[in-house]
Amino acid sequence: MQPCQEDNRSFFEKLQNEKGLDLRDNRGKRHDLAVVLVGVMLALLSNRDGNLSSIQRYLKNHYERLVEILGVEKRRAVSRSQLPNILAEVSVSVFDGLLFANYGIKLNAEEKKWFALDGKELRGSIETGNKRGAAIVQAVAHENLEVAAQDYYAGDKESEVPVVRKLLEKSELAQQKISFDALHCKPKTLEIITQVGGKYLVGLKENQKELKKQITQAMENQSCLMKISTTEKGHGRIERRIYRFYDVLEIKKNERWQASQIKTAIKVRRERLEVKTNKTSVEDSFYLTNEIGKYEELAEAVRGHWQVETNNQIRDVSLKEDKMRSKKRNYSKQWAV
């Protein structure tokens, strides 16, 4: 047990009395900064760091209980639009020092971002009589479709898997949040990310039959941690997605998966209705991640991974990339980044 602090005032009282913390103008203060920051701290401890919308929802959902415990006047919980304005007027160094002194938490200098890593074949490079040609691997940001890194390889001689690993190792991408399709559900690839503190979201299919069997059995034998449903309308169809999250940290896995630190499994059910024909379809897919909590963010990341395919289509339609012709065969060296 750690020795008691000489100054054993509560964290809330320290926030109230800490000079230099509140940088707001005294005019028009609508929210008690100490109350807001206690809520932010609780949200951080609940694995909601890095996502302002998630933090604000936490504050709103727990506001009544929070003011009751703190014994302060009940007002309206801070809104999503006001939260960043208030936090912008907080002395980060002072708040960071209080968080670290009391809870050992250090504020991240920069929020980790989601990137989708995937490859596509450049069909115009396929020579007559061959089935494969040049291929490109890209790391595309979920939020704005910007390409953060890319590399090429010869599809008839090389594989996408080592190219993806090389991109992760030679850049700082592995320290971010990476989404993959099931091709990259491999221990060596996932270890590259976990070893440097990054996060991953990877599809799980029949290419890992034993692991999929273990994961799906674990899902059947426990209740889900969280269920999220979304509905989208467009392109002549209505699509409902149901995300279910399961704790798989403690289930028995093969030794080779230990360093991957698989913690959460996600089952996504897609129910589609074609409006014109009234035809329905149901599809289940599975994902694994080394993240805990942050369910809404993970659901968005599952949905966001499709942006790689969208980006590839833009390249084909706008840049006519698939019509590229080249007689040179060593594509990986020719276009090496």
Side-chain angles (χ1 to χ4, degrees):
M1 181 180 294
Q2 296 181 348
C4 295
Q5 298 177 354
E6 293 182 7
D7 180 6
N8 62 355
R9 293 175 301 156
S10 72
F11 182 66
F12 177 60
E13 291 173 333
K14 291 178 183 179
L15 290 173
Q16 288 179 308
N17 299 315
E18 189 69 34
K19 295 181 179 180
L21 176 65
D22 192 348
L23 303 178
R24 293 178 297 174
D25 190 292
N26 286 327
R27 295 170 296 177
K29 290 184 178 179
R30 296 175 54 189
H31 297 281
D32 186 330
L33 183 65
V35 174
V36 173
L37 292 183
V38 168
V40 169
M41 179 271 296
L42 291 173
L44 291 172
L45 293 174
S46 301
N47 288 318
R48 294 186 180 246
D49 52 313
N51 189 319
L52 273 183
S53 294
S54 181
I55 290 175
Q56 191 275 333
R57 282 192 293 271
Y58 182 93
L59 294 175
K60 181 179 179 180
N61 293 338
H62 296 83
Y63 179 72
E64 291 190 8
R65 179 62 175 156
L66 180 62
V67 296
E68 178 184 345
I69 292 174
L70 295 177
V72 298
E73 179 186 355
K74 178 181 175 182
R75 300 179 183 177
R76 180 177 297 180
V78 62
S79 66
R80 173 62 179 83
S81 60
Q82 279 296 312
L83 181 58
N85 296 332
I86 292 175
L87 295 180
E89 298 300 325
V90 175
S91 173
V92 176
S93 59
V94 175
F95 185 47
D96 191 37
L98 287 170
L99 277 177
F100 185 74
N102 286 268
Y103 303 103
I105 298 175
K106 293 294 290 182
L107 295 175
N108 292 329
E110 184 177 353
E111 176 188 345
K112 294 181 186 294
K113 297 182 179 180
W114 279 103
F115 294 89
L117 262 172
D118 199 9
K120 78 177 279 280
E121 195 161 57
L122 303 175
R123 294 189 294 273
S125 68
I126 303 175
E127 294 183 352
T128 303
N130 293 338
K131 295 182 178 180
R132 303 295 304 274
I136 182 174
V137 172
Q138 294 181 318
V140 181
H142 280 209
E143 63 179 358
N144 55 18
L145 292 180
E146 288 185 0
V147 177
Q150 66 181 33
D151 206 345
Y152 295 83
Y153 66 97
D156 56 347
K157 297 180 179 179
E158 301 172 290
S159 166
E160 179 181 319
V161 173
V163 179
V164 164
R165 290 173 182 168
K166 184 173 70 172
L167 275 179
L168 290 171
E169 290 174 336
K170 76 177 185 179
S171 67
E172 297 182 354
L173 279 172
Q175 301 174 29
Q176 299 295 320
K177 300 176 180 180
I178 308 297
S179 63
F180 302 103
D181 58 30
L183 173 65
H184 301 285
C185 186
K186 300 180 184 295
K188 186 176 179 180
T189 303
L190 303 184
E191 286 172 27
I192 294 173
I193 297 173
T194 57
Q195 286 173 356
V196 295
K199 302 297 181 181
Y200 63 79
L201 174 73
V202 63
L204 176 63
K205 291 186 177 180
E206 295 302 322
N207 61 323
Q208 297 293 349
K209 290 184 179 180
E210 182 179 352
L211 180 62
K212 184 179 179 183
K213 181 179 179 181
Q214 292 171 332
I215 295 296
T216 53
Q217 286 180 346
M219 289 177 168
E220 293 171 358
N221 295 325
Q222 63 173 288
S223 300
C224 65
L225 299 169
M226 174 68 75
K227 177 181 174 182
I228 297 175
S229 297
T230 64
T231 302
E232 295 182 3
K233 299 179 180 179
H235 305 288
R237 68 185 183 189
I238 300 173
E239 180 171 291
R240 184 180 180 220
R241 292 172 178 245
I242 305 170
Y243 303 83
R244 292 183 174 88
F245 300 83
Y246 298 85
D247 179 5
V248 294
L249 179 60
E250 301 298 331
I251 73 166
K252 185 177 180 181
K253 311 179 192 74
N254 190 288
E255 181 70 23
R256 69 195 187 102
W257 292 104
Q258 294 307 310
S260 301
Q261 300 180 18
I262 300 170
K263 298 176 181 178
T264 305
I266 308 168
K267 179 180 179 180
V268 183
R269 171 158 290 187
R270 297 173 176 87
E271 301 173 348
R272 297 186 182 94
L273 170 64
E274 300 292 340
V275 177
K276 271 190 175 182
T277 63
N278 210 32
K279 182 180 179 180
T280 61
S281 63
V282 177
E283 177 188 7
D284 290 335
S285 55
F286 301 89
Y287 300 85
L288 302 175
T289 177
N290 62 338
E291 184 68 276
I292 296 177
K294 300 186 179 180
Y295 305 118
E296 293 175 347
E297 179 183 335
L298 287 169
E300 291 176 2
V302 171
R303 187 73 178 102
H305 183 73
W306 70 272
Q307 292 181 100
V308 170
E309 296 301 327
T310 301
N311 189 60
N312 287 337
Q313 183 182 19
I314 291 171
R315 293 171 68 103
D316 290 341
V317 174
S318 302
L319 304 181
K320 310 298 182 184
E321 196 170 66
D322 276 347
K323 294 184 178 180
M324 177 274 293
R325 301 290 177 184
S326 176
K327 294 182 179 180
K328 295 183 179 181
R329 300 298 299 149
N330 198 345
Y331 301 106
S332 58
K333 292 183 181 179
Q334 178 184 352
W335 291 308
V337 175

